[in-house]
Amino acid sequence: YLTTGFRSRDILHNAFSYHLTPAGFMLETGAAKIGCAVVPAGIGNTELQVQAISDICPSGFSGTPSFLKILIDKANGQNLDISSISKAIVGGEALPEQLRSVIENAGINCQQIYASADLGCIAYESIAKDGLIAEEGLFIEIVNPGTGDPLPQGEVGEVVATSFSLDYPLIRFGTGDLSAVLSGESPCGRTNIRLKGWMGRADQTTKIKGLFVHPKQISEINRRHPEIVKSKLIVESRDKKDVMTLNCEVAEDLRLSNNSEFVASLSETIQSICTVRGEVKLIKIGTLQNNGKIIEDHRNYE
């Protein structure tokens, strides 16, 4: 809260859920600790919430960014003044720049947090709004979703956190979220590592021809064929049939020769591990997008 500009005597409109989730209580506890009064609004009842904001005049908001936009739109539609809100701490979902612009154009400084029920705050945005700064009490790793192996800086992978809390220690807790570590320090001067932000979910398990295929199976295929520098499984629908193709970055000489013996061996491994036949495509090193995806489902379900 302090990095978002909240101070003692601020009034917070807390729109995180209090029902079957700790989010509302967690944010309220933090606000109360620095001396803020809290309106426990929860979710839903938008008309009542807008009226309450207009009457109570809170200085800040906490909740999801999409719900804050809903409240802004509802207030405009009902001609109610909620301009008392000048700052917001948002989380629970992605914050696209377009959504941030809508909120900030309404006169609200918007900064995001990244948190989970198990760990509390994992990382937060400072006033620089340049990446999410990791909480000092946590050890953060970015790992391969298929193996759990740490990835180098800049590579997209699953966020794994270790908490050294004596009350509730967690060792290498997998959040299931994708992100990457940014290089350098924050322009605001804070020196801890920064995460790029939420970049999707790490669980990419998909069903192909009635059978589940997991990222760890693709990692095992890579392990058995050290010629593969990096790979990604693409799932498509052709003539209403599921087709999966393993795109493999390999050395230039192997790619240009399109070694039939290697391709045949790799195809056999794919079927052995995944129990589903898969095609193989050899591609140039550096071709695959750095998005943390080991399996991409391109099927159109419409």
Side-chain angles (χ1 to χ4, degrees):
Y1 278 109
L2 292 174
T3 59
T4 321
F6 282 87
R7 296 294 184 268
S8 175
R9 298 184 181 180
D10 270 323
I11 300 175
L12 171 71
H13 185 91
N14 185 20
F16 277 112
S17 175
Y18 284 80
H19 180 62
L20 295 178
T21 171
F25 295 105
M26 292 168 80
L27 271 292
E28 178 173 331
T29 301
K33 190 171 183 179
I34 63 172
C36 295
V38 179
V39 179
I43 58 176
N45 299 309
T46 54
E47 290 190 13
L48 184 59
Q49 290 212 32
V50 168
Q51 186 65 59
I53 294 170
S54 179
D55 293 341
I56 300 172
C57 298
S59 51
F61 169 91
S62 61
T64 63
S66 60
F67 189 63
L68 177 54
K69 180 184 181 301
I70 289 172
L71 293 179
I72 293 170
D73 292 341
K74 180 68 72 173
N76 291 335
Q78 294 185 337
N79 200 27
L80 289 172
D81 182 11
I82 62 169
S83 62
S84 62
I85 296 179
S86 61
K87 49 204 169 190
I89 183 167
V90 300
E93 61 187 19
L95 178 62
E97 283 306 312
Q98 184 178 7
L99 179 54
R100 188 200 292 271
S101 296
V102 170
I103 293 170
E104 297 198 333
N105 286 340
I108 303 171
N109 176 56
C110 181
Q111 290 171 230
Q112 59 182 319
I113 56 169
Y114 169 44
S116 80
D118 303 87
L119 293 161
C121 183
I122 298 171
Y124 57 91
E125 198 171 43
S126 71
I127 196 168
K129 300 178 184 177
D130 187 8
L132 302 174
I133 302 165
E135 273 289 336
E136 287 79 0
L138 299 176
F139 177 66
I140 303 294
E141 299 172 90
I142 301 295
V143 307
N144 186 309
T147 65
D149 296 330
L151 293 172
Q153 180 176 288
E155 286 290 310
V156 178
E158 182 179 5
V159 179
V160 169
T162 295
S163 168
F164 301 102
S165 167
L166 295 178
D167 297 321
Y168 188 30
L170 286 172
I171 308 300
R172 300 199 81 203
F173 174 81
T175 64
D177 296 318
L178 292 175
S179 192
V181 173
L182 295 174
S183 61
E185 297 178 2
S186 171
C188 73
R190 291 184 177 267
T191 58
N192 207 6
I193 68 167
R194 293 176 298 145
L195 300 178
K196 191 172 182 179
W198 187 81
M199 301 176 69
R201 291 292 293 171
D203 183 11
Q204 300 154 37
T205 299
T206 189
K207 184 177 281 189
I208 304 167
K209 296 181 179 179
L211 296 171
F212 285 106
V213 177
H214 306 270
K216 64 182 180 182
Q217 292 173 307
I218 308 305
S219 297
E220 177 59 19
I221 293 169
N222 294 347
R223 188 190 68 80
R224 294 191 189 184
H225 295 272
E227 299 92 342
I228 301 174
V229 176
K230 188 177 181 180
S231 72
K232 182 174 295 187
L233 187 73
I234 305 298
V235 185
E236 302 169 292
S237 180
R238 297 180 196 164
D239 299 324
K240 298 183 179 180
K241 294 181 181 180
D242 293 341
V243 177
M244 68 181 197
T245 304
L246 189 64
N247 288 252
C248 305
E249 292 185 0
V250 296
E252 199 70 357
D253 56 343
L254 181 58
R255 183 180 71 86
L256 293 176
S257 67
N258 199 25
N259 189 297
S260 58
E261 185 178 337
F262 171 71
V263 172
S265 174
L266 182 52
S267 298
E268 185 178 332
T269 303
I270 292 172
Q271 186 157 5
S272 172
I273 291 176
C274 301
T275 66
V276 180
R277 182 181 174 277
E279 299 179 1
V280 173
K281 184 178 181 181
L282 305 183
I283 59 177
K284 186 177 180 181
I285 293 175
T287 303
L288 293 175
Q289 186 180 3
N290 177 27
N291 60 4
K293 296 289 185 180
I294 294 174
I295 300 174
E296 287 191 1
D297 194 341
H298 292 175
R299 290 170 292 187
N300 187 349
Y301 292 98
E302 293 182 358

